[in-house]
Amino acid sequence: VYGIKSLPGLDIYMFPTSEELYQFVGTREASISKPWKRSVYITKQNLHSLKHEMAHIMLASYGSFPFDISWSTGLTEGAAVAIEDDYDGIRAVDEYSARMLQLKLADGVQQVMQPSGFLSAAPSQSYVLAGSFSKYLIQKHGAEKFLKVYRERDFETVYNKPLSEFDREWKKTLMTEFETPMNYYDSLRMNYYFMRTSIVQQPCIRRIGKLLKKADEEFKNKNYKLADSIYEIVVNESGRGRAIQGRVQSLLHLKNFQGALEVLDTTTAAQEIKNKAALHLLRGDVIAMTTGDLRKASDEWEEAIKLELGDSYFISAFTHRYFFGSAKNVPAVQKALSDIYSIEPEGNKYDLLYSIEPSDSNDYAFTVSRLYMYSSYLYRTGALSKAYTIWKNGREKIANIIPDTSVVSLQLFEKLAEQKYLHYQEIFKEVH
C-alpha cells in the first residue's frame, strides 16, 4: 500500500491475556505499538489488529522525533486504518464515512486532519474519516506523496493543492459510490458507532476512568456488590454502556438475575440508542438465564443479529440465537450461559455444549453454531492450533447437512467465521 521496499526490524510480543499484557506494558488495551522501539505488544485473542499496529512500525522511518509517528494524529491513525479491509470486520471505512456525511454527523475531514483536530471529534468518527481519507490519497495520488505529507504535514506544499480541495473531492467520490438509502438498522448502527462525544467533551473523563478501573478491579476480585455500586455511579454520571454491562454482570454473579434484568429494563441510559443497540445480546442472555424463555430471548438475539455491530458481536448473536435459541433442553442452555459469564464455570466445555440437544437433529445453523462456540472456547485459552483443527475438521463432518435457506444471516456468519480462521490457515497448514 505504501510502496515501502525495505521494512524496519520488528519485535512482536504476544501475550496470552490482557492481564499479562498489563503486567508487562502497563495497559490492558488489546494491542499497542511503539514505533520508536520498532515493537508491537498484542494478545493472542487480538491478532486481527496486528496489521494495524504493524503499519505504525512500517511508517516509523517517515515519522518525526521522538516517537517516529506523524505529528498529525489524523495522518498517523489514518495511515494505519487505510490498510485494513474493514472497520468492524463487516463494513469498510469508506461506507461508514459516506453514511456519516449523509446523516450530517460529519461535514468533512479537514478538522480531523489538523494537528490537534483528531481529538476534537468522537474517536470512532476520527479514525474512520481519517482512514477513508488517507486511503483516498494513496489510491488517487500515490504512496510516495502520502509518505511525504505524513512527515511534513503540509498538504499544499506536497500536493500543490489545499486540504479543503481534497476534502471536496473525497466527499464527492464517497457520495457517488455509496448514495443509497439506509434502513432502520443502518441508522441504529450509525447512531451506535458515531453519535458520541469527543474525548475532550466527555464529562469528568479522568474521574469516570478511575471509577471504571476501580469497579473492574473489584469485579475481578469477586467483590461483586462493591463493583455494582461503583458501576452504578458511573452509569448515573456518564451513562456509559460498559458500566451498564458491568452492573448486569455483577448482579448475575450475585445470583440476582431479576435485578440484572431490571437494570436493562429500567435504567434510563440503557434505553438510549447508543447503548440499547449493543445490549440486545446481553438482554437475550439474561432473559434466558432468568426466565428460561428461549423464544423471548431469541427475539433479542435476532435484533442483535440484524444490527451487525461488528464481526464479534454478530457472531455471538448468531450462535446464541441458533444454538441456544434452537435447543430443547432449557436447563442445559442456562448452565452453558452461566459458564460463559463465569458464574458457575464448567471444566469440560465439550460435554457442556454437546449435552445441549437441538429441536431438529438436522438443524445446520444449530450444528455449525455449536461447533464454532466450542472451537472459540479453545481459541480464548490460546490453543489456536487445536481450535483451528476442531473447526476445520468439524466443518468437513457437517458438510452433508443441508442449510436452511430461511436463515438469511447464515451466509454472513459463515463468511466471518471462515475469515477468522483464515488468519491461521498458513500457520497451521500442515494440519489436515
Side-chain angles (χ1 to χ4, degrees):
V1 175
Y2 308 124
I4 299 174
K5 295 180 180 179
S6 60
L7 301 178
L10 169 66
D11 293 319
I12 300 175
Y13 299 88
M14 191 181 301
F15 300 85
T17 68
S18 58
E19 281 305 310
E20 280 81 4
L21 178 70
Y22 176 74
Q23 300 277 334
F24 191 81
V25 187
T27 178
R28 288 187 175 86
E29 292 296 323
S31 61
I32 184 173
S33 62
K34 294 184 177 181
W36 66 99
K37 289 187 174 182
R38 306 300 193 265
S39 59
V40 172
Y41 308 83
I42 193 167
T43 60
K44 280 187 176 182
Q45 292 76 16
N46 203 46
L47 282 174
H48 59 274
S49 67
L50 183 59
K51 184 190 290 187
H52 179 104
E53 301 304 340
M54 287 181 66
H56 291 308
I57 309 301
M58 290 172 63
L59 294 168
S61 300
Y62 299 87
S64 302
F65 180 82
F67 300 116
D68 289 347
I69 57 175
S70 173
W71 278 109
S72 163
T73 309
L75 286 168
T76 295
E77 295 302 337
V81 173
I83 68 168
E84 298 181 89
D85 296 326
D86 301 298
Y87 168 68
D88 59 2
I90 298 178
R91 290 174 174 79
V93 290
D94 285 347
E95 179 176 346
Y96 279 129
S97 294
R99 299 303 186 208
M100 269 192 273
L101 296 170
Q102 190 175 344
L103 289 171
K104 301 192 185 307
L105 297 176
D107 57 8
V109 77
Q110 281 194 78
Q111 186 176 7
V112 170
M113 301 309 290
Q114 298 298 333
S116 61
F118 194 86
L119 297 178
S120 65
S124 56
Q125 290 187 21
S126 295
Y127 274 89
V128 168
L129 294 170
S132 174
F133 184 67
S134 297
K135 183 179 176 182
Y136 169 80
L137 287 176
I138 295 169
Q139 291 179 342
K140 186 78 174 177
H141 299 280
E144 185 177 347
K145 284 189 175 181
F146 181 81
L147 293 174
K148 192 172 182 181
V149 81
Y150 184 86
R151 172 175 283 168
E152 298 178 9
R153 308 185 310 281
D154 189 332
F155 282 85
E156 194 147 8
T157 298
V158 173
Y159 290 104
N160 294 317
K161 190 185 295 185
L163 177 59
S164 58
E165 194 168 334
F166 279 119
D167 191 14
R168 285 194 297 271
E169 293 174 359
W170 166 73
K171 286 188 290 187
K172 184 178 179 181
T173 300
L174 285 181
M175 298 314 293
T176 300
E177 185 175 354
F178 294 101
E179 195 172 12
T180 54
M182 289 188 289
N183 63 28
Y184 171 73
Y185 293 101
D186 290 331
S187 297
L188 282 182
R189 189 182 311 112
M190 291 299 298
N191 281 316
Y192 169 73
Y193 277 143
F194 305 115
M195 281 286 286
R196 299 172 184 271
T197 57
S198 70
I199 292 175
V200 296
Q201 293 173 329
Q202 291 177 19
C204 308
I205 187 168
R206 182 172 295 180
R207 168 179 161 78
I208 296 300
K210 287 182 177 180
L211 285 170
L212 277 172
K213 182 180 178 182
K214 176 65 174 173
D216 291 343
E217 288 173 352
E218 296 300 339
F219 184 90
K220 181 186 174 184
N221 293 329
K222 300 184 179 180
N223 297 322
Y224 301 120
K225 192 170 183 179
L226 179 56
D228 174 51
S229 65
I230 300 173
Y231 284 128
E232 185 175 15
I233 293 171
V234 176
V235 171
N236 292 336
E237 291 190 11
S238 70
R240 291 278 187 96
R242 188 161 80 78
I244 297 169
Q245 293 173 343
R247 283 212 67 196
V248 170
Q249 294 196 36
S250 297
L251 290 167
L252 289 176
H253 279 269
L254 291 166
K255 304 295 180 67
N256 186 356
F257 297 102
Q258 190 59 45
L261 191 56
E262 286 175 4
V263 167
L264 292 169
D265 286 343
T266 63
T267 304
T268 301
Q271 308 310 312
E272 296 175 0
I273 290 176
K274 66 179 181 180
N275 291 323
K276 189 174 182 179
L279 294 174
H280 283 298
L281 174 59
L282 179 59
R283 192 166 190 275
D285 293 350
V286 175
I287 288 171
M289 283 188 280
T290 304
T291 69
D293 189 340
L294 296 185
R295 180 170 293 183
K296 189 174 180 181
S298 292
D299 290 340
E300 295 291 333
W301 294 327
E302 192 68 47
E303 285 297 296
I305 289 172
K306 292 175 182 176
L307 281 163
E308 297 180 4
L309 295 179
D311 50 1
S312 296
Y313 185 86
F314 173 86
I315 287 174
S316 294
F318 183 93
T319 53
H320 287 211
R321 165 64 184 88
Y322 289 102
F323 178 48
F324 295 141
S326 302
K328 66 179 182 181
N329 44 341
V330 174
V333 169
Q334 293 173 318
K335 189 176 182 181
L337 284 167
S338 291
D339 175 79
I340 287 174
Y341 287 92
S342 301
I343 300 166
E344 293 182 358
E346 297 288 331
N348 192 321
K349 307 302 184 185
Y350 182 89
D351 287 349
L352 176 67
L353 294 178
Y354 282 81
S355 68
I356 299 176
E357 300 175 0
S359 299
D360 178 359
S361 59
N362 289 316
D363 188 336
Y364 178 83
F366 174 95
T367 307
V368 75
S369 294
R370 178 168 59 186
L371 172 63
Y372 183 88
M373 195 168 284
Y374 177 56
S375 64
S376 292
Y377 272 122
L378 300 171
Y379 176 84
R380 286 195 294 274
T381 65
L384 304 185
S385 178
K386 188 175 181 181
Y388 171 78
T389 303
I390 292 291
W391 173 254
K392 181 176 180 294
N393 294 343
R395 292 279 290 158
E396 292 173 357
K397 289 178 182 178
I398 65 174
N400 62 322
I401 302 177
I402 300 173
D404 183 350
T405 55
S406 67
V407 182
V408 294
S409 51
L410 178 60
Q411 185 175 358
L412 179 57
F413 167 77
E414 296 209 292
K415 174 187 173 184
L416 296 177
E418 288 299 324
Q419 281 179 352
K420 174 180 176 178
Y421 286 102
L422 193 62
H423 290 298
Y424 307 106
Q425 187 170 334
E426 284 301 311
I427 301 173
F428 307 124
K429 60 185 177 182
E430 73 280 1
V431 179
H432 298 289

